[in-house]
Amino acid sequence: MTLARAQQKVAIIEEDTIAGTCTNFGCDAKILLDGPFELTERLKQYQGIGVNTTPSIDWSQLMAYKQQVIQPLSVQMTAVFKQLGIKIITGHGELTDTHTVKVAGSTYTADTIVVGTGQRPAKLAIPGADLMHDSRDFLDLPTMPKRLTLIGAGIISLEFANMAVLLGSEVHIIEFADRALPAFYSKHVEKMIAHLQAAGVHFHFGEALSQVTKSATGLLATTKNGLTIESDDIIAATGRIPNIEHLGLTNRTLALRPIGTALSSTTICGQIFLTFTLAVMSSARLCRS
């Protein structure tokens, strides 16, 4: 938008939904859904000193409201882009040279190409991985499962666990490491875990998920240590990885850490800058004066 207002010729290549994960399937949806749960948590602090009851949350009604608010955003953003003269190209972009991108048989040239393809949920390489869902699925659940297992004890899992347990679900979290949120101050994390445990969340640390299978009444998560947990749904929240496949980056200079994020602002093909650590909304942006 800034470039378009500066009279630059701009195009956005997108194969999924305009405005990307955060707007459509991530941050915005999560914040909207989490709002009532934060409110009820605060009201509980005033019980007996002015507040005698806390409201109940109807997940189905809340989800319907989320759809009403979130679904139009992509359409609205598309209209804004077009109004500014930004060209929307639908499809998967693949670099063919320094200044050319191919999309569905057509080619587009530009002085500067920015690859901002964002990230996607990481999938565990275990039998039955396709039976699990991810954060995008959770934020679109029409009804909350009565039994829910979350894989990974990161921020996303803890937020989802808090919502589910407050709605009365049986919630389990399976974590490979010996604690949750290792990047955060341990004393604060311990208080958070204790709070969730008091609410009814079951934590299983030091457990590596080995397989997921169907049972007669749900899904069965099994760990390498032999722990088995049956649930109605299993949400994998084991991190995110950058979308770098099939972009034409083969044989070009690209430094990646083991976790898959760019080491630094790496320049390849002249003026192509990788921004995998940023949740940029488009598959690529093409700019030409």
Coordinates of all heavy atoms in Angstrom, one line a residue, residues 85-176:
G85 N -4.8 0.6 -7.1 CA -4.2 0.2 -8.3 C -3.3 -1.0 -8.2 O -2.5 -1.3 -9.1
I86 N -3.3 -1.7 -7.1 CA -2.5 -2.9 -6.9 C -3.1 -4.1 -7.6 O -4.3 -4.4 -7.4 CB -2.3 -3.2 -5.4 CG1 -1.7 -2.1 -4.7 CG2 -1.6 -4.5 -5.2 CD1 -1.6 -2.2 -3.2
K87 N -2.3 -4.8 -8.4 CA -2.8 -5.9 -9.2 C -2.8 -7.1 -8.3 O -1.8 -7.4 -7.7 CB -2.0 -6.1 -10.5 CG -2.4 -7.3 -11.4 CD -1.6 -7.4 -12.6 CE -2.0 -8.5 -13.5 NZ -3.4 -8.3 -14.0
I88 N -3.9 -7.9 -8.3 CA -4.0 -9.1 -7.6 C -3.8 -10.3 -8.6 O -4.6 -10.4 -9.5 CB -5.3 -9.3 -6.8 CG1 -5.6 -8.1 -5.9 CG2 -5.3 -10.6 -6.0 CD1 -4.6 -7.9 -4.8
I89 N -2.8 -11.1 -8.4 CA -2.6 -12.3 -9.2 C -2.8 -13.5 -8.4 O -2.1 -13.7 -7.4 CB -1.1 -12.3 -9.8 CG1 -0.9 -10.9 -10.5 CG2 -0.9 -13.5 -10.7 CD1 0.6 -10.7 -10.9
T90 N -3.8 -14.3 -8.8 CA -4.1 -15.5 -8.0 C -3.4 -16.7 -8.5 O -3.4 -17.0 -9.7 CB -5.6 -15.8 -8.1 OG1 -6.4 -14.7 -7.6 CG2 -6.0 -17.0 -7.2
G91 N -2.6 -17.4 -7.6 CA -1.9 -18.6 -8.0 C -0.6 -18.7 -7.2 O -0.3 -17.9 -6.4
H92 N 0.2 -19.7 -7.6 CA 1.5 -19.9 -6.9 C 2.6 -19.3 -7.7 O 2.8 -19.6 -8.9 CB 1.7 -21.4 -6.8 CG 3.0 -21.7 -6.1 ND1 3.1 -21.8 -4.7 CD2 4.3 -22.0 -6.5 CE1 4.4 -22.1 -4.3 NE2 5.1 -22.2 -5.4
G93 N 3.4 -18.4 -7.1 CA 4.5 -17.7 -7.8 C 5.8 -18.5 -7.7 O 6.1 -19.0 -6.7
E94 N 6.5 -18.6 -8.9 CA 7.8 -19.3 -8.9 C 8.8 -18.5 -9.7 O 8.5 -18.1 -10.8 CB 7.7 -20.7 -9.5 CG 9.0 -21.5 -9.5 CD 8.8 -22.9 -10.0 OE1 7.6 -23.3 -10.2 OE2 9.8 -23.6 -10.2
L95 N 9.9 -18.2 -9.0 CA 10.9 -17.4 -9.7 C 11.6 -18.2 -10.8 O 11.9 -19.3 -10.7 CB 12.0 -17.0 -8.7 CG 11.6 -16.2 -7.5 CD1 12.6 -16.2 -6.4 CD2 11.3 -14.7 -7.9
T96 N 11.7 -17.5 -12.0 CA 12.4 -18.1 -13.1 C 13.8 -17.5 -13.4 O 14.7 -18.1 -14.0 CB 11.6 -18.1 -14.4 OG1 11.3 -16.7 -14.7 CG2 10.3 -18.8 -14.2
D97 N 13.9 -16.2 -12.9 CA 15.2 -15.5 -13.0 C 15.1 -14.4 -12.0 O 14.2 -14.2 -11.2 CB 15.6 -15.1 -14.4 CG 14.6 -14.1 -15.0 OD1 14.1 -13.2 -14.3 OD2 14.3 -14.2 -16.2
T98 N 16.2 -13.5 -12.0 CA 16.3 -12.4 -11.1 C 15.1 -11.5 -11.0 O 14.7 -11.0 -9.9 CB 17.5 -11.6 -11.4 OG1 18.7 -12.4 -11.4 CG2 17.7 -10.5 -10.3
H99 N 14.4 -11.3 -12.1 CA 13.3 -10.3 -12.2 C 12.0 -10.9 -12.8 O 11.2 -10.1 -13.2 CB 13.8 -9.1 -13.0 CG 14.9 -8.4 -12.5 ND1 14.9 -7.6 -11.3 CD2 16.2 -8.3 -12.9 CE1 16.1 -7.1 -11.1 NE2 16.9 -7.6 -12.0
T100 N 11.9 -12.2 -12.8 CA 10.7 -12.8 -13.4 C 10.1 -13.8 -12.5 O 10.7 -14.6 -11.9 CB 11.1 -13.5 -14.7 OG1 11.8 -12.5 -15.6 CG2 9.8 -13.9 -15.5
V101 N 8.7 -13.8 -12.4 CA 7.9 -14.7 -11.7 C 6.9 -15.4 -12.6 O 6.3 -14.7 -13.4 CB 7.2 -14.1 -10.5 CG1 6.4 -15.1 -9.7 CG2 8.2 -13.5 -9.5
K102 N 6.8 -16.7 -12.5 CA 5.8 -17.4 -13.3 C 4.6 -17.8 -12.4 O 4.8 -18.4 -11.4 CB 6.5 -18.7 -13.9 CG 5.5 -19.4 -14.9 CD 6.3 -20.6 -15.5 CE 5.4 -21.4 -16.5 NZ 6.1 -22.5 -17.1
V103 N 3.4 -17.5 -12.9 CA 2.2 -17.9 -12.2 C 1.2 -18.5 -13.2 O 0.8 -17.8 -14.1 CB 1.5 -16.7 -11.5 CG1 0.3 -17.1 -10.7 CG2 2.5 -16.0 -10.6
A104 N 0.9 -19.8 -13.0 CA -0.1 -20.4 -13.8 C 0.1 -20.2 -15.3 O -0.8 -19.9 -16.1 CB -1.5 -20.0 -13.5
G105 N 1.3 -20.4 -15.8 CA 1.6 -20.3 -17.2 C 1.9 -18.9 -17.7 O 2.4 -18.7 -18.8
S106 N 1.6 -17.8 -16.9 CA 1.9 -16.4 -17.3 C 3.2 -16.0 -16.5 O 3.5 -16.5 -15.4 CB 0.7 -15.5 -16.9 OG -0.4 -15.9 -17.6
T107 N 3.9 -15.0 -17.1 CA 5.1 -14.5 -16.5 C 4.9 -13.0 -16.2 O 4.3 -12.3 -17.0 CB 6.3 -14.7 -17.4 OG1 6.1 -14.1 -18.7 CG2 6.6 -16.2 -17.5
Y108 N 5.6 -12.6 -15.1 CA 5.5 -11.2 -14.7 C 6.9 -10.8 -14.4 O 7.7 -11.5 -13.7 CB 4.6 -11.0 -13.5 CG 3.2 -11.5 -13.7 CD1 2.9 -12.9 -13.5 CD2 2.2 -10.7 -14.2 CE1 1.6 -13.4 -13.7 CE2 0.9 -11.2 -14.4 CZ 0.6 -12.5 -14.2 OH -0.7 -13.0 -14.4
T109 N 7.3 -9.6 -14.8 CA 8.6 -9.1 -14.5 C 8.6 -7.9 -13.6 O 7.6 -7.1 -13.5 CB 9.3 -8.6 -15.8 OG1 8.6 -7.6 -16.5 CG2 9.5 -9.8 -16.8
A110 N 9.6 -7.7 -12.8 CA 9.7 -6.5 -11.9 C 11.1 -6.2 -11.6 O 12.0 -7.0 -11.7 CB 9.0 -6.9 -10.6
D111 N 11.3 -4.9 -11.2 CA 12.7 -4.5 -10.8 C 13.0 -5.1 -9.5 O 14.2 -5.5 -9.2 CB 12.7 -3.0 -10.7 CG 12.6 -2.3 -12.0 OD1 12.9 -2.9 -13.0 OD2 12.0 -1.2 -12.0
T112 N 12.1 -5.2 -8.5 CA 12.3 -5.8 -7.2 C 11.2 -6.8 -6.9 O 10.0 -6.5 -7.1 CB 12.3 -4.7 -6.1 OG1 13.3 -3.7 -6.5 CG2 12.6 -5.3 -4.8
I113 N 11.6 -7.9 -6.4 CA 10.7 -9.0 -6.0 C 10.9 -9.3 -4.5 O 12.1 -9.6 -4.1 CB 10.9 -10.3 -6.8 CG1 10.6 -10.0 -8.3 CG2 9.9 -11.4 -6.4 CD1 11.0 -11.1 -9.2
V114 N 9.9 -9.2 -3.7 CA 10.0 -9.5 -2.3 C 9.3 -10.8 -2.0 O 8.1 -10.9 -2.3 CB 9.4 -8.4 -1.4 CG1 9.5 -8.8 0.1 CG2 10.2 -7.1 -1.6
V115 N 10.0 -11.8 -1.5 CA 9.3 -13.1 -1.2 C 8.9 -13.0 0.3 O 9.7 -12.9 1.2 CB 10.3 -14.3 -1.4 CG1 9.6 -15.6 -1.0 CG2 10.8 -14.4 -2.8
G116 N 7.6 -13.0 0.5 CA 7.1 -13.0 1.9 C 6.0 -14.0 2.1 O 4.8 -13.7 2.3
T117 N 6.4 -15.3 1.9 CA 5.4 -16.3 1.9 C 4.9 -16.8 3.2 O 4.1 -17.8 3.3 CB 6.0 -17.5 1.1 OG1 7.3 -17.8 1.6 CG2 6.1 -17.2 -0.4
G118 N 5.4 -16.3 4.3 CA 4.9 -16.6 5.6 C 5.3 -18.1 6.0 O 6.2 -18.7 5.5
Q119 N 4.5 -18.6 7.0 CA 4.8 -19.9 7.5 C 3.5 -20.7 7.6 O 2.4 -20.2 7.5 CB 5.4 -19.8 8.9 CG 6.8 -19.0 8.9 CD 7.3 -18.8 10.3 OE1 6.5 -18.7 11.3 NE2 8.6 -18.8 10.5
R120 N 3.7 -22.0 7.8 CA 2.6 -22.9 8.0 C 2.9 -23.9 9.2 O 4.1 -24.0 9.6 CB 2.4 -23.8 6.7 CG 3.6 -24.7 6.4 CD 3.4 -25.5 5.1 NE 4.4 -26.5 4.9 CZ 5.6 -26.2 4.3 NH1 5.9 -25.0 4.0 NH2 6.4 -27.2 4.1
P121 N 1.9 -24.5 9.7 CA 2.1 -25.4 10.8 C 3.0 -26.5 10.5 O 2.9 -27.1 9.4 CB 0.7 -25.9 11.2 CG -0.2 -24.9 10.6 CD 0.4 -24.4 9.4
A122 N 4.0 -26.8 11.4 CA 4.8 -28.0 11.2 C 4.1 -29.3 11.5 O 3.2 -29.3 12.3 CB 6.0 -27.9 12.1
K123 N 4.3 -30.3 10.7 CA 3.7 -31.6 10.9 C 4.7 -32.6 11.3 O 5.8 -32.7 10.8 CB 3.0 -32.0 9.5 CG 1.8 -31.2 9.1 CD 1.1 -31.8 7.9 CE -0.2 -31.0 7.6 NZ -0.9 -31.6 6.4
L124 N 4.3 -33.4 12.3 CA 5.1 -34.4 12.9 C 5.2 -35.6 11.9 O 4.1 -36.0 11.3 CB 4.6 -34.9 14.2 CG 4.6 -33.9 15.4 CD1 4.0 -34.5 16.6 CD2 6.1 -33.5 15.6
A125 N 6.3 -36.2 11.7 CA 6.5 -37.3 10.8 C 6.2 -38.6 11.5 O 7.1 -39.4 11.9 CB 7.9 -37.3 10.2
I126 N 5.0 -38.8 11.8 CA 4.6 -40.0 12.6 C 3.3 -40.6 11.9 O 2.6 -39.9 11.2 CB 4.2 -39.7 14.1 CG1 3.0 -38.7 14.1 CG2 5.4 -39.1 14.8 CD1 2.5 -38.4 15.5
P127 N 3.1 -41.9 12.1 CA 1.9 -42.5 11.6 C 0.6 -41.8 12.2 O 0.5 -41.5 13.4 CB 2.0 -44.0 12.1 CG 3.4 -44.2 12.3 CD 4.0 -42.9 12.8
G128 N -0.3 -41.5 11.3 CA -1.6 -40.9 11.7 C -1.5 -39.4 11.9 O -2.5 -38.8 12.4
A129 N -0.4 -38.8 11.4 CA -0.3 -37.3 11.5 C -1.5 -36.6 10.8 O -1.9 -35.5 11.2 CB 1.0 -36.9 10.9
D130 N -2.0 -37.3 9.7 CA -3.1 -36.7 8.9 C -4.4 -36.7 9.7 O -5.4 -36.0 9.3 CB -3.2 -37.4 7.6 CG -3.5 -38.9 7.8 OD1 -3.0 -39.5 8.7 OD2 -4.3 -39.4 7.0
L131 N -4.5 -37.4 10.8 CA -5.7 -37.4 11.6 C -5.8 -36.2 12.6 O -6.8 -35.9 13.1 CB -5.8 -38.7 12.5 CG -5.9 -40.0 11.7 CD1 -5.8 -41.2 12.6 CD2 -7.1 -40.0 10.8
M132 N -4.7 -35.5 12.7 CA -4.6 -34.3 13.6 C -5.0 -33.1 12.9 O -4.9 -33.0 11.7 CB -3.2 -34.2 14.3 CG -2.8 -35.3 15.1 SD -1.3 -35.0 16.0 CE -0.1 -35.1 14.7
H133 N -5.5 -32.1 13.6 CA -5.8 -30.8 13.1 C -4.7 -29.8 13.6 O -3.9 -30.1 14.4 CB -7.2 -30.4 13.5 CG -8.3 -31.2 12.8 ND1 -9.1 -32.0 13.5 CD2 -8.6 -31.4 11.5 CE1 -9.9 -32.6 12.7 NE2 -9.6 -32.3 11.5
D134 N -4.8 -28.5 13.1 CA -3.9 -27.5 13.5 C -4.6 -26.3 14.0 O -5.9 -26.3 14.2 CB -2.9 -27.1 12.4 CG -3.6 -26.7 11.1 OD1 -4.7 -26.1 11.2 OD2 -3.1 -26.9 10.0
S135 N -3.9 -25.2 14.3 CA -4.5 -24.0 14.9 C -5.5 -23.4 14.0 O -6.5 -22.8 14.4 CB -3.4 -23.0 15.2 OG -2.7 -22.6 14.0
R136 N -5.3 -23.4 12.7 CA -6.3 -22.9 11.7 C -7.6 -23.6 11.9 O -8.7 -23.0 11.8 CB -5.8 -23.0 10.3 CG -6.7 -22.5 9.2 CD -6.0 -22.4 7.9 NE -6.8 -22.1 6.8 CZ -6.4 -21.8 5.6 NH1 -5.1 -21.7 5.3 NH2 -7.2 -21.5 4.6
D137 N -7.6 -24.9 12.1 CA -8.8 -25.7 12.2 C -9.5 -25.4 13.6 O -10.7 -25.3 13.6 CB -8.4 -27.2 12.2 CG -7.8 -27.6 10.9 OD1 -8.4 -27.3 9.8 OD2 -6.8 -28.3 10.9
F138 N -8.7 -25.3 14.6 CA -9.2 -25.0 16.0 C -10.0 -23.7 15.9 O -11.1 -23.6 16.5 CB -8.1 -24.9 17.0 CG -8.6 -24.6 18.4 CD1 -9.0 -25.6 19.3 CD2 -8.8 -23.3 18.8 CE1 -9.4 -25.3 20.5 CE2 -9.3 -23.0 20.1 CZ -9.6 -24.0 21.0
L139 N -9.4 -22.7 15.3 CA -10.1 -21.4 15.2 C -11.3 -21.3 14.3 O -11.9 -20.2 14.1 CB -9.1 -20.3 14.8 CG -7.9 -20.1 15.8 CD1 -6.9 -19.2 15.2 CD2 -8.5 -19.5 17.1
D140 N -11.7 -22.5 13.8 CA -12.9 -22.6 12.9 C -13.8 -23.7 13.4 O -14.7 -24.0 12.7 CB -12.4 -22.8 11.5 CG -13.4 -22.3 10.5 OD1 -14.1 -21.3 10.7 OD2 -13.6 -23.0 9.4
L141 N -13.6 -24.2 14.6 CA -14.4 -25.3 15.1 C -15.9 -24.8 15.4 O -16.1 -23.9 16.1 CB -13.9 -25.8 16.5 CG -12.6 -26.6 16.4 CD1 -12.1 -26.9 17.8 CD2 -12.9 -28.0 15.7
P142 N -16.8 -25.4 14.8 CA -18.2 -25.0 15.0 C -18.7 -25.4 16.4 O -19.5 -24.6 17.0 CB -19.0 -25.9 14.0 CG -18.1 -27.0 13.7 CD -16.7 -26.5 13.8
T143 N -18.2 -26.5 17.0 CA -18.5 -26.8 18.4 C -17.1 -27.2 19.1 O -16.2 -27.8 18.4 CB -19.5 -28.0 18.5 OG1 -18.9 -29.1 17.8 CG2 -20.8 -27.6 17.9
M144 N -17.1 -27.0 20.4 CA -15.8 -27.4 21.1 C -15.9 -28.9 21.4 O -16.9 -29.3 22.0 CB -15.7 -26.6 22.4 CG -14.4 -26.8 23.1 SD -12.9 -26.4 22.2 CE -13.1 -24.6 22.2
P145 N -14.8 -29.6 21.1 CA -14.8 -31.1 21.5 C -14.9 -31.3 23.0 O -14.4 -30.5 23.7 CB -13.5 -31.5 20.9 CG -13.1 -30.5 19.9 CD -13.6 -29.2 20.4
K146 N -15.6 -32.3 23.4 CA -15.7 -32.6 24.8 C -14.4 -33.1 25.4 O -14.1 -33.0 26.5 CB -16.8 -33.7 25.0 CG -18.2 -33.2 24.7 CD -19.3 -34.2 25.1 CE -20.7 -33.7 24.8 NZ -21.0 -32.5 25.5
R147 N -13.6 -33.8 24.5 CA -12.3 -34.3 24.9 C -11.3 -33.7 23.8 O -11.4 -34.0 22.7 CB -12.2 -35.8 24.9 CG -13.2 -36.4 25.9 CD -13.2 -37.9 25.8 NE -13.6 -38.3 24.4 CZ -13.4 -39.6 24.0 NH1 -12.9 -40.5 24.8 NH2 -13.8 -39.9 22.8
L148 N -10.3 -33.0 24.3 CA -9.3 -32.4 23.4 C -7.9 -32.6 23.9 O -7.6 -32.4 25.1 CB -9.6 -30.9 23.3 CG -8.6 -30.0 22.5 CD1 -8.8 -30.4 21.0 CD2 -8.8 -28.5 22.7
T149 N -7.0 -33.0 22.9 CA -5.6 -33.2 23.2 C -4.8 -32.3 22.4 O -5.1 -32.2 21.1 CB -5.1 -34.7 23.0 OG1 -5.8 -35.5 23.9 CG2 -3.6 -34.8 23.2
L150 N -3.9 -31.6 23.0 CA -3.0 -30.6 22.3 C -1.6 -31.2 22.3 O -1.1 -31.6 23.3 CB -3.1 -29.2 22.9 CG -4.4 -28.6 22.8 CD1 -4.7 -27.7 24.1 CD2 -4.6 -27.7 21.6
I151 N -0.9 -31.1 21.1 CA 0.4 -31.6 21.0 C 1.4 -30.4 21.0 O 1.3 -29.6 20.1 CB 0.7 -32.4 19.8 CG1 -0.4 -33.5 19.6 CG2 2.1 -33.0 19.8 CD1 -0.5 -34.5 20.8
G152 N 2.2 -30.3 22.1 CA 3.1 -29.1 22.2 C 2.5 -28.2 23.3 O 1.3 -28.0 23.4
A153 N 3.5 -27.7 24.1 CA 3.1 -26.8 25.2 C 3.6 -25.4 25.0 O 4.2 -24.8 25.9 CB 3.5 -27.4 26.6
G154 N 3.4 -24.9 23.8 CA 3.7 -23.5 23.5 C 2.6 -22.6 23.8 O 1.6 -22.9 24.3
I155 N 2.8 -21.3 23.3 CA 1.8 -20.3 23.6 C 0.4 -20.7 23.0 O -0.6 -20.5 23.7 CB 2.2 -18.9 23.0 CG1 3.5 -18.5 23.8 CG2 1.1 -17.9 23.1 CD1 4.1 -17.2 23.2
I156 N 0.4 -21.1 21.8 CA -0.9 -21.5 21.1 C -1.6 -22.5 21.9 O -2.8 -22.4 22.2 CB -0.6 -21.9 19.7 CG1 0.0 -20.8 18.9 CG2 -1.9 -22.3 19.0 CD1 -0.8 -19.5 18.8
S157 N -0.9 -23.6 22.3 CA -1.6 -24.7 23.0 C -2.2 -24.2 24.3 O -3.3 -24.6 24.7 CB -0.6 -25.8 23.3 OG -0.4 -26.7 22.2
L158 N -1.4 -23.4 25.0 CA -1.9 -22.9 26.3 C -3.1 -22.0 26.2 O -4.1 -22.1 27.0 CB -0.8 -22.2 27.1 CG 0.5 -23.0 27.4 CD1 1.4 -22.2 28.3 CD2 0.1 -24.3 28.1
E159 N -3.1 -21.2 25.1 CA -4.3 -20.4 24.9 C -5.5 -21.2 24.6 O -6.6 -21.0 25.1 CB -4.0 -19.4 23.8 CG -3.0 -18.3 24.2 CD -2.7 -17.3 23.0 OE1 -2.6 -17.8 21.9 OE2 -2.7 -16.1 23.3
F160 N -5.3 -22.2 23.7 CA -6.4 -23.0 23.3 C -6.9 -23.9 24.5 O -8.1 -24.1 24.6 CB -6.0 -23.9 22.1 CG -5.8 -23.2 20.8 CD1 -5.3 -23.9 19.7 CD2 -6.1 -21.9 20.7 CE1 -5.1 -23.3 18.5 CE2 -5.9 -21.2 19.5 CZ -5.4 -21.9 18.4
A161 N -6.0 -24.4 25.3 CA -6.3 -25.2 26.4 C -7.2 -24.4 27.4 O -8.2 -24.9 28.0 CB -5.1 -25.7 27.1
N162 N -6.8 -23.1 27.6 CA -7.6 -22.3 28.5 C -9.0 -22.1 28.0 O -10.0 -22.2 28.8 CB -6.9 -21.0 28.7 CG -7.6 -20.1 29.7 OD1 -7.6 -20.4 30.9 ND2 -8.1 -18.9 29.3
M163 N -9.2 -21.9 26.7 CA -10.6 -21.8 26.2 C -11.3 -23.0 26.4 O -12.5 -23.0 26.9 CB -10.5 -21.4 24.7 CG -9.9 -20.1 24.3 SD -10.0 -19.9 22.5 CE -8.8 -18.6 22.3
A164 N -10.7 -24.2 26.0 CA -11.5 -25.4 26.0 C -11.8 -25.9 27.5 O -13.0 -26.3 27.7 CB -10.6 -26.5 25.4
V165 N -10.9 -25.7 28.4 CA -11.2 -26.2 29.8 C -12.3 -25.3 30.4 O -13.1 -25.8 31.2 CB -9.9 -26.2 30.6 CG1 -9.5 -24.8 31.1 CG2 -10.1 -27.2 31.8
L166 N -12.3 -24.0 30.1 CA -13.3 -23.1 30.7 C -14.7 -23.4 30.1 O -15.7 -23.1 30.7 CB -12.9 -21.7 30.4 CG -11.7 -21.1 31.2 CD1 -11.5 -19.7 30.9 CD2 -12.0 -21.3 32.7
L167 N -14.7 -24.1 28.9 CA -16.0 -24.5 28.3 C -16.4 -25.9 28.8 O -17.4 -26.4 28.4 CB -15.9 -24.5 26.8 CG -15.9 -23.1 26.2 CD1 -15.6 -23.3 24.7 CD2 -17.1 -22.4 26.4
G168 N -15.6 -26.5 29.7 CA -15.9 -27.8 30.3 C -15.3 -29.0 29.6 O -15.7 -30.1 30.0
S169 N -14.4 -28.8 28.6 CA -13.8 -29.9 28.0 C -12.8 -30.6 28.8 O -12.1 -29.9 29.7 CB -13.2 -29.4 26.6 OG -14.1 -28.9 25.8
E170 N -12.5 -31.9 28.6 CA -11.4 -32.6 29.2 C -10.2 -32.3 28.3 O -10.2 -32.6 27.1 CB -11.7 -34.1 29.2 CG -10.5 -34.9 29.7 CD -10.7 -36.4 29.6 OE1 -11.9 -36.8 29.7 OE2 -9.7 -37.1 29.3
V171 N -9.2 -31.7 28.8 CA -8.0 -31.2 28.0 C -6.7 -31.8 28.5 O -6.4 -31.8 29.7 CB -7.9 -29.6 28.1 CG1 -6.8 -29.2 27.3 CG2 -9.2 -29.0 27.7
H172 N -6.0 -32.3 27.5 CA -4.6 -32.9 27.8 C -3.6 -32.2 26.9 O -3.9 -31.9 25.7 CB -4.6 -34.4 27.5 CG -5.4 -35.2 28.4 ND1 -4.9 -35.9 29.5 CD2 -6.8 -35.5 28.4 CE1 -5.9 -36.5 30.1 NE2 -7.0 -36.3 29.5
I173 N -2.4 -32.0 27.4 CA -1.3 -31.4 26.6 C -0.2 -32.4 26.7 O 0.3 -32.7 27.8 CB -0.9 -30.0 27.1 CG1 -2.1 -29.0 26.9 CG2 0.3 -29.5 26.4 CD1 -1.7 -27.6 27.4
I174 N 0.3 -32.8 25.6 CA 1.5 -33.7 25.5 C 2.7 -32.9 25.0 O 2.6 -32.3 23.9 CB 1.2 -34.9 24.5 CG1 0.1 -35.7 25.0 CG2 2.5 -35.7 24.3 CD1 -0.4 -36.8 24.0
E175 N 3.7 -32.9 25.8 CA 4.9 -32.1 25.5 C 6.2 -32.9 25.5 O 6.4 -33.6 26.5 CB 5.0 -30.9 26.4 CG 6.3 -30.1 26.4 CD 6.6 -29.6 25.0 OE1 5.8 -28.9 24.4 OE2 7.8 -29.8 24.6
F176 N 7.0 -32.8 24.5 CA 8.2 -33.6 24.4 C 9.2 -33.1 25.5 O 9.9 -34.0 26.1 CB 8.8 -33.4 23.0 CG 10.2 -34.0 22.9 CD1 10.4 -35.4 22.7 CD2 11.4 -33.2 22.9 CE1 11.6 -36.0 22.6 CE2 12.6 -33.8 22.8 CZ 12.8 -35.1 22.6

